[in-house]
Amino acid sequence: DGTLYWFSDAAASVDTGLWRVQGSVFVNPNEPSTRPYTFVLTGTHLLRLTGNRGTAVQAGSAGIPSGYTTATLLVQNLEVAKTGTGAGAQVDLTLSAVAVAGTFTLTSGVVNTDTGSGAFVLRLLGGLVTSGGSFTATSWVGFVGTTGQTLSGSAGTLPNVLVQKPGTGAASAVVASGTPSVASLIVLDGRFDLGTGTTTVSGAVTVGGNAGGLSADRTAAPEIYSTST
């Protein structure tokens, strides 16, 4: 119900089960030591951020995706299910980068990645499911996995969405379903498949270029298309 801390010289591996946290998650926060530490979240676990106490996430992780900084917390499945209103219902991913290897689920509450002087990109290697909740308007979500990814929405509002996927064919695609709503859509590398649902974009749609601090290597020519037509 409080805050989870994990410091250097501590080791843990969480392969299965549910971690339910109402407070904040700090892994090696501001730890001045250079001693090695391990906090590897693997397998099929779910980290659920709930309650109405407000949640901040700050982390360094030994399970870092290739090309990511040491201040990236990599979790398998992450769900935001905050309750109530006000500051207690907000999750701030503004102190370090966060990546989700499995599925990110937004059920309720507000997610913020904007630090006030720039924004982190919540990097998704798997799927994204929204059934409620929202992001702050200047937050970012990026689809950067090396296999095919999905975006499913029945309610809730997504922020600025980046697609930068390597590879070709199905591995380079993000396939949408349901009725997802996003603030803006930028496809830098890879493909965004509109699927059989209805994707609503309230802001700009950009194909190509460079944005959000993600380089455009053009492994797969960026495009938006629909396999349903």
Side-chain angles (χ1 to χ4, degrees):
D1 288 338
T3 298
L4 171 66
Y5 291 92
W6 206 273
F7 296 97
S8 62
D9 277 355
S13 180
V14 182
D15 292 319
T16 60
L18 167 66
W19 279 38
R20 181 175 177 271
V21 180
Q22 294 196 48
S24 297
V25 179
F26 293 133
V27 181
N28 203 44
N30 303 315
E31 171 61 43
S33 173
T34 58
R35 297 171 296 180
Y37 67 95
T38 302
F39 186 85
V40 184
L41 296 176
T42 60
T44 58
H45 71 270
L46 168 64
L47 174 61
R48 178 177 294 154
L49 305 177
T50 185
N52 188 251
R53 298 187 179 182
T55 297
V57 176
Q58 180 180 0
S61 172
I64 302 169
S66 177
Y68 286 57
T69 69
T70 56
T72 299
L73 174 63
L74 173 64
V75 299
Q76 183 62 32
N77 299 297
L78 175 63
E79 179 183 2
V80 174
K82 303 294 285 184
T83 59
T85 59
Q90 182 161 307
V91 173
D92 288 309
L93 307 178
T94 57
L95 300 175
S96 67
V98 176
V100 182
T103 300
F104 173 74
T105 303
L106 177 59
T107 302
S108 58
V110 179
V111 179
N112 176 46
T113 72
D114 189 356
T115 66
S117 58
F120 284 100
V121 177
L122 174 59
R123 287 164 165 81
L124 305 181
L125 309 179
L128 188 158
V129 177
T130 64
S131 60
S134 64
F135 282 75
T136 58
T138 49
S139 292
W140 290 85
V141 168
F143 288 90
V144 296
T146 58
T147 60
Q149 295 177 260
T150 57
L151 166 59
S152 175
S154 61
T157 303
L158 294 174
N160 307 290
V161 174
L162 291 164
V163 176
Q164 188 188 21
K165 295 178 58 56
T168 58
S172 67
V174 176
V175 181
S177 63
T179 56
S181 177
V182 305
S184 69
L185 175 62
I186 300 175
V187 182
L188 300 179
D189 202 0
R191 303 180 297 164
F192 187 86
D193 184 349
L194 297 172
T196 58
T198 301
T199 300
T200 300
V201 183
S202 58
V205 176
T206 305
V207 179
N210 190 13
L214 298 179
S215 63
D217 61 19
R218 298 297 179 268
T219 302
E223 64 175 334
I224 298 175
Y225 72 109
S226 176
T227 55
S228 65
T229 58

